[in-house]
Amino acid sequence: MNGLTASRPVGSPMRHDERPPAYACGFAALRQRFREAAERAGAELSEYVHPLNGPDGGALATDVALLGRRDARKLIVLISGTHGVEGPFGSACQTAWLGQKNLRRLPDDTAILAIHLINPWGTAWSRRVNEDNVDLNRNFIDWSSSAPVNNGYAGVHDALAYREWEGPDRIAADEKLAIARRRLGHAGLAAIVEAGQYEFADGMFYGGGRPVWSNRTLNEILKTFAREARQVIVFDLHTGAGPYGYPALLSVASSEHDGLAWGKSIFGPALSTVLTGPGAKTGTGIAATATGYVSDAVRKAMPNARVLPLVVECGTLDGPAVMEAVQADNWLHLFGKLDSPLGKRIRDTLRSAFIPVDPDWQRTCLSSSLRYFDRALADLRTVALDETTGSERIPPTARAVVVVDPVSAGEAKTTTPAVQIDELHKSFGALLVLKGVNLTAHAGEVISMIGSSGSGKSTFLRCINLLEQPDGGNVAIDGELIKMKPLSNGRLGPADMAQVERIRARVGMVFQNFNLWPHMTVVENIIEAPRHVLKEPREKAIEHALALLKKVGLADKHAHYPGQLSGGQQQRAAIARTLAMRPKVILFDEPTSALDPELVGEVLRVIRQLAEEGNTMILVTHEMQFAREVSHKVLFLHQGKVEEEGAPAELFGSPRSERLRQFLARTL
Ligand SMILES: Nc1ncnc2c1ncn2[C@@H]1O[C@H](COP(=O)(O)OP(=O)(O)OP(=O)(O)O)[C@@H](O)[C@H]1O
């Protein structure tokens, strides 16, 4: 998006054994892929032709795909390329999502509107700005009043928009900027520059002097396709700010509105709200001081709807590096030669500052964004509408999908915890693995445990259901304390094996390596424990197993043997097996670490669904992004102790301990 505030430059090395990057490059290829996907999905396609051409002389346009009916009351809008050069990311998201089979069966009241490359000139010319050097995300101000004044920017304009690439003027400009940075800090400087300015047409973050083509076109598109919509979730897809490869979900607004609460109810702590204003601060990597965002525009364009405007922001380089790339590009287009070797280098640098040529980055950003879209769509399905007004009708009973909601989790704290662990100790011989770990999980809470390899996460999980015997401490499940007694070797052991068996039946565990019986079919694997432990009749157990297989997307695999399934399918079958025992709490021990990367998503989707249904879950995982999105609380374990714990936004956003900072720097 803007990328000027500090972020961590964690350069994930390119893995050459990976498949080539998923993102198309070049304006024509982006368009072609998008249009083909939209046609395959059966969408209504329209194009809004831009008056100028691309660098190869080709025509430019914004394409619009509408999946569903024009009069749909519920709408998801995806916007790509607000900052042109970031377009390949948003385009890849739109194209991939339109290709998903679940979108082919949208309810009549729901539609998807994909607005492809709203700043087509910027994408074609690989520029952040549009054809008028305007930052589109500063152009949606109220043009009937005078534009905001940014006095701070005037003081650094000549240092940012230098005239000479090298020589005394350039040295002076760099020196002036360095002084400003020393005085204000990078974040302070960024807050001034990113606020946008309406005075210097050759400057950075220029908001323009009137509504530009892309502004008018976006409004026209919304007028045409969103007129009847009353429940609207908008994703504006960006790159360039925040930690490398971390797709953050933000909602940007100048004041509180009902869409923000809706967003929190859908995404829980995964959503960061950015309230903008002259003195506003944010740790998210995007400007809180600016005005004129797309988020403002979409809310204004749909005054009769409840609108949740969201920004997906995928971090790339650190703030100063992105700023330098944008400055150089500004110079090139004002004073340089586009086709010179220097020009080519500047343009390549800018492109990779916003779209890293790193398959890991591209894949992570794409898959996380698709998960955000899926989640939004799942929530829209549950919104009951008042038929005449289209506003939300709150049903007397709770919604079918109970979304991860820290407030309700907080309310649950007055009841008996589903899991209560106090001062858990565990050694293997002389190796002290757990040194007094505490954890409380209330009903419906999702708690993730993160930490380096060997920090004791799996051991802790295994102690909860007594797959390992703790040496000291208390474990209580649903208020029932597991009775322990001293053993002859001086350690502790369970005092009552019948109690252990009873409690184990209530605590489900999903293992890294699935642990399915290879000689049994999937359905036999699932009914084994309910038949023998819960004494369920075979017919009833099979009926339940088939329903669970349907839930995890394996309805047609019930008669297969584990060896005939992919890793992802085996893990989903293992989850179904765990659910068959109707557990009070589910423990996941690195459920995706044995999977090939392309199979991880299908398993995470199932786990997310379980979280959204209100299951109590404790999750040991190396999927940081997932832990951040799905958890109410995250515990960072270091050398057998909880080093830091808290809400995911706090723990990942502003870690207090140096060890956690270092851990996150290595893993994110
Ligand atoms: N059964 C065992 N016998 C002896 N040592 C063990 C046993 N299980 C685990 N350990 C040791 O205990 C320490 C903690 O292991 P644990 O598997 O709990 O760590 P972890 O944080 O889950 O690591 P990872 O992320 O690599 O799975 C390690 O040093 C491990 O070698």
Side-chain angles (χ1 to χ4, degrees), residues 428 431 433 451-460 468 512 589-590 620 622:
F428 293 109
L431 180 66
V433 177
S452 310
S453 184
S455 56
K457 305 180 297 296
S458 297
T459 304
F460 177 74
E468 297 288 356
Q512 188 175 340
D589 190 4
E590 298 183 29
V620 165
H622 292 281

Side-chain angles (χ1 to χ4, degrees), residues 412-582:
K413 281 184 184 143
T414 52
T415 61
T416 308
V419 180
Q420 172 90 50
I421 313 285
D422 295 315
E423 285 302 305
L424 199 76
H425 285 77
K426 173 71 186 168
S427 310
F428 293 109
L431 180 66
L432 231 68
V433 177
L434 300 176
K435 303 170 188 164
V437 179
N438 300 302
L439 174 146
T440 306
H442 292 276
E445 260 188 334
V446 180
I447 299 186
S448 292
M449 305 200 62
I450 61 171
S452 310
S453 184
S455 56
K457 305 180 297 296
S458 297
T459 304
F460 177 74
L461 222 51
R462 293 167 70 80
C463 284
I464 297 179
N465 67 352
L466 300 187
L467 285 174
E468 297 288 356
Q469 313 295 336
D471 302 327
N474 288 326
V475 175
I477 305 295
D478 228 8
E480 183 173 351
L481 186 68
I482 300 180
K483 290 178 229 150
M484 305 295 281
K485 64 177 183 192
L487 302 176
S488 53
N489 59 8
R491 295 173 167 246
L492 285 181
D496 176 357
M497 278 318 288
Q499 184 201 31
V500 169
E501 290 310 321
R502 198 174 60 244
I503 287 184
R504 265 196 198 142
R506 284 190 249 153
V507 180
M509 181 130 174
V510 176
F511 300 88
Q512 188 175 340
N513 290 316
F514 333 130
N515 292 6
L516 294 167
W517 295 110
H519 60 290
M520 290 182 180
T521 63
V522 166
V523 80
E524 284 165 347
N525 262 284
I526 297 174
I527 64 171
E528 172 78 0
R531 294 264 294 120
H532 295 105
V533 181
L534 303 181
K535 310 290 181 213
E536 272 186 20
R538 187 177 163 80
E539 299 304 302
K540 195 173 157 222
I542 290 182
E543 194 186 324
H544 189 205
L546 294 178
L548 290 170
L549 282 172
K550 189 165 173 217
K551 182 186 180 93
V552 301
L554 292 177
D556 54 339
K557 304 288 184 205
H558 62 94
H560 285 56
Y561 287 89
Q564 297 172 306
L565 303 182
S566 72
Q569 290 170 332
Q570 288 188 58
Q571 190 58 298
R572 284 187 280 145
I575 293 173
R577 180 189 54 185
T578 302
L579 295 175
M581 291 293 283
R582 299 179 168 86

Side-chain angles (χ1 to χ4, degrees), residues 11 21 51 60 74 110 121 150 191 223 241 291 319 326 342 360 367 429 438 448 451 474 485 497 502 516 575 621 655:
L60 301 178
K74 302 176 181 178
T110 306
W121 187 93
N150 182 349
K223 218 188 297 166
T291 46
V326 174
L342 173 63
D360 278 347
S367 61
N438 300 302
S448 292
N474 288 326
K485 64 177 183 192
M497 278 318 288
R502 198 174 60 244
L516 294 167
I575 293 173
T621 184

